[in-house]
Amino acid sequence: MTRRVRNVDVDDWDDGWGDDSWGGGWGGGWDEGYAKPKPKPKPKANVIPGMAPAKAKSSAKSAPKAKPDAKPKAEAKAEAKAVKETLEAEVELPPEAPQDDRPTISLVVVGHVDAGKSTLMGHLLCLVGQVSSKQLHKFEKESKEMGKASFFYAWVLDEGDDERSRGVTIDVCVKHFSTKSRQFTILDAPGHRDFVPNMVRGAVQADVAILVVDVSHFEAGFDRGGQTKEHLQLIRALGISNVVVAVNKLDTCNWDQKVFEETKRRVNDYMVGPEVGFKQSSVNFVPLSGFSGENMLERKEPKLSWWTGPTLVEALDQLPPPPRPSSTAPLRLCVSDVYRSGANTCLSGKVVSGTISVGQKVVLQPSNEQTVVKSLQMRDAPARSARAGDHLDSVLVPVEPQFASIGGVISDRSTVPVSDTLQVQILVFETEVPLMRGAQLMCYLHTETLTATLVRLEKLIVKGETQDRRPKCLVKGNNAIVWLQLNEKVCVEPKSQSSAMTPCDPSEEKSVVL
């Protein structure tokens, strides 16, 4: 404490000892700034600390009672009312579109890197009128300037600068087109080994698949560590049962029928064999050229006169529509992307079951945040509602992005189970090291990427029957029921209730599908 002392003569010095009290000496000689604290008023007899004082009895007219400060309560009420009005306000409905009874099919495009997947699907979108000649001319000009003139069809789907500069698909691109009897959603998946997790995120949203096989480099994609076999194993384990095999780049071998037949034989034997297990009736082969467009929408090449089967579009039109849950089933929409749009949040994903409409009250899981749907965007146009099987480009909701997450679920009032411990059935495709308790895995649960720990090996399944003896490890070909501990809670449902809630676990050394 700093003391301030006055300048006085020695004869006039008074140390305060002769005073009757200490207060005079200390206050006058030592500290001018000192002020004796005022004693706290004693509470009245009828006042209990923490309670309001009792009213005093008086015959005189009492003074008007002071109103407590109601500002905080008023602000809270106003805020709650504003939130409620936001959620329950009438939204502007888009014009009602004519009803389209054509079934919707989600189509994932898989195959080895450089098999021509993006070029094939980009050219197909041009042929069916989804890309204007002006856009295509722009892609052709820009690709030439970058030194990748043959990639201009691929640029229809490869929209990122990194993808275009490297000439490799990295993320799943979503596009739409229609035929006479079907509405298709294309999920163009990457084929490079480093981007298998992204490929899984596309495949888990698909109903059917196109496998693109390159006859000019068939061995590299099929035998020498290529991704063709792994992609077939993954899509089969994820529940896809119908596949159209596009035998691509057949123009490089002068449309040789023998090359096509040999490629078809080898791929077909593997697909219907015990390692994958597709039904023969569910696999169709189409010879074509993605760059020239031959046998995609129509057949013009005289050297392809030996082919009497369907074109690519005809083969897609013949695919059976997948079974869908009833429209009265609970709403389940798996979120594949989240981004901010002004004061709102935009979500995209596929409706697995139920229906969703503008103005509907929904719940974002696993955050359990309640909100209302302000608008829907489907097939690049506003929509009033969507049903099971539809892929929504945008679901606009008035919440902060922190309440929504990739891999989450939009539901109605019905509860979605949330857990971080799962009992799952797995099939081991390939592994260099036996899988034992404590193994660290990457778990791909519909569109979410998680880390998981194998905490328990429950039962081994042999020829469809569970064994009583608990396994100590799992090797290639084993089918087992195990327990996984995830790094965070996720939305899950039994497979019998929702086929989209299917996790998958691929990595560089092994591929395990659940």
Side-chain angles (χ1 to χ4, degrees), residues 426-438:
I426 70 172
L427 172 64
V428 183
F429 286 145
E430 295 179 3
T431 179
E432 295 180 358
V433 181
L435 296 178
M436 305 178 68
R437 193 179 72 171

Side-chain angles (χ1 to χ4, degrees), residues 271-316:
M271 292 181 67
V272 300
E275 287 190 71
V276 183
F278 283 101
K279 293 182 179 179
Q280 184 65 67
S281 59
S282 301
V283 180
N284 296 304
F285 288 81
V286 179
L288 50 79
S289 171
F291 188 77
S292 68
E294 180 61 31
N295 205 35
M296 291 174 60
L297 188 62
E298 54 185 356
R299 185 163 51 250
K300 297 179 180 179
E301 176 60 50
K303 295 180 180 179
L304 195 57
S305 58
W306 50 266
W307 175 251
T308 57
T311 63
L312 178 61
V313 172
E314 290 171 348
L316 295 177

Side-chain angles (χ1 to χ4, degrees), residues 219-472:
E219 298 294 338
F222 194 74
D223 286 332
R224 302 180 212 157
Q227 298 305 112
T228 303
K229 290 183 177 180
E230 184 176 8
H231 283 193
L232 285 171
Q233 292 172 339
L234 289 173
I235 62 175
R236 185 68 188 98
L238 291 171
I240 295 176
S241 57
N242 290 280
V243 181
V244 174
V245 182
V247 183
N248 194 23
K249 303 183 183 181
L250 208 60
D251 54 336
T252 59
C253 62
N254 203 24
W255 303 100
D256 192 337
Q257 184 178 1
K258 292 181 179 179
V259 175
F260 170 76
E261 294 295 341
E262 177 63 17
T263 303
K264 176 182 176 181
R265 181 189 65 79
R266 295 187 60 182
V267 175
N268 186 75
D269 289 348
Y270 180 76
M271 292 181 67
V272 300
E275 287 190 71
V276 183
F278 283 101
K279 293 182 179 179
Q280 184 65 67
S281 59
S282 301
V283 180
N284 296 304
F285 288 81
V286 179
L288 50 79
S289 171
F291 188 77
S292 68
E294 180 61 31
N295 205 35
M296 291 174 60
L297 188 62
E298 54 185 356
R299 185 163 51 250
K300 297 179 180 179
E301 176 60 50
K303 295 180 180 179
L304 195 57
S305 58
W306 50 266
W307 175 251
T308 57
T311 63
L312 178 61
V313 172
E314 290 171 348
L316 295 177
D317 255 344
Q318 295 171 6
L319 290 171
R324 303 291 187 196
S326 169
S327 59
T328 58
L331 171 63
R332 298 291 184 267
L333 191 154
C334 293
V335 180
S336 59
D337 196 11
V338 178
Y339 56 95
R340 178 180 283 277
S341 177
N344 302 304
T345 298
C346 277
L347 314 174
S348 63
K350 180 183 176 183
V351 182
V352 178
S353 66
T355 58
I356 186 171
S357 57
V358 176
Q360 180 179 349
K361 292 182 180 180
V362 295
V363 181
L364 305 182
Q365 300 284 2
S367 65
N368 202 32
E369 180 71 11
Q370 297 185 12
T371 183
V372 67
V373 178
K374 294 185 69 175
S375 68
L376 297 174
Q377 189 88 4
M378 182 171 62
R379 297 183 174 275
D380 303 323
R384 285 193 176 188
S385 62
R387 58 189 177 181
D390 289 336
H391 194 287
L392 290 169
D393 303 320
S394 171
V395 180
L396 193 67
V397 290
V399 298
E400 292 295 323
Q402 66 193 35
F403 295 110
S405 60
I406 295 176
V409 174
I410 299 177
S411 67
D412 48 18
R413 297 294 182 179
S414 59
T415 305
V416 179
V418 177
S419 177
D420 59 358
T421 305
L422 308 178
Q423 185 187 47
V424 296
Q425 181 179 345
I426 70 172
L427 172 64
V428 183
F429 286 145
E430 295 179 3
T431 179
E432 295 180 358
V433 181
L435 296 178
M436 305 178 68
R437 193 179 72 171
Q440 298 296 311
L441 308 173
M442 292 301 295
C443 183
Y444 300 93
L445 183 63
H446 30 99
T447 55
E448 188 173 11
T449 304
L450 305 161
T451 57
T453 304
L454 187 60
V455 294
R456 183 182 176 90
L457 302 177
E458 190 72 27
K459 295 179 181 179
L460 198 66
I461 301 175
V462 179
K463 295 182 179 180
E465 297 183 359
T466 57
Q467 306 297 305
D468 295 334
R469 187 175 179 181
R470 183 178 298 169
K472 294 183 178 180

Side-chain angles (χ1 to χ4, degrees), residues 92-253:
E92 184 177 353
L93 295 175
E96 189 171 0
Q99 186 176 358
D100 195 336
D101 295 329
R102 289 178 296 178
T104 302
I105 299 178
S106 295
L107 172 72
V108 66
V109 186
V110 299
H112 186 62
V113 64
D114 293 334
K117 299 184 296 297
S118 296
T119 297
L120 172 66
M121 302 315 296
H123 199 165
L124 178 62
L125 289 172
C126 294
L127 292 175
V128 297
Q130 294 298 313
V131 181
S132 65
S133 57
K134 183 179 180 180
Q135 286 177 306
L136 189 61
H137 178 71
K138 178 185 176 184
F139 293 150
E140 188 173 2
K141 179 181 178 182
E142 292 177 350
S143 61
K144 285 181 180 179
E145 293 174 354
M146 194 175 285
K148 296 183 179 293
S150 62
F151 284 75
F152 66 95
Y153 283 125
W155 282 23
V156 175
L157 294 115
D158 294 341
E159 298 173 339
D161 293 337
D162 196 21
E163 291 178 318
R164 292 181 174 183
S165 61
R166 296 173 61 179
V168 175
T169 302
I170 298 175
D171 295 318
V172 176
C173 180
V174 181
K175 296 289 184 181
H176 309 278
F177 75 97
S178 300
T179 63
K180 293 181 180 179
S181 59
R182 302 284 188 272
Q183 296 184 92
F184 287 98
T185 296
I186 298 175
L187 300 158
D188 184 36
H192 197 279
R193 187 185 187 91
D194 294 342
F195 308 120
V196 169
N198 293 349
M199 173 265 170
V200 172
R201 290 176 192 154
V204 79
Q205 302 176 68
D207 303 312
V208 298
I210 289 181
L211 173 68
V212 183
V213 178
D214 178 9
V215 296
S216 62
H217 299 88
F218 177 74
E219 298 294 338
F222 194 74
D223 286 332
R224 302 180 212 157
Q227 298 305 112
T228 303
K229 290 183 177 180
E230 184 176 8
H231 283 193
L232 285 171
Q233 292 172 339
L234 289 173
I235 62 175
R236 185 68 188 98
L238 291 171
I240 295 176
S241 57
N242 290 280
V243 181
V244 174
V245 182
V247 183
N248 194 23
K249 303 183 183 181
L250 208 60
D251 54 336
T252 59
C253 62

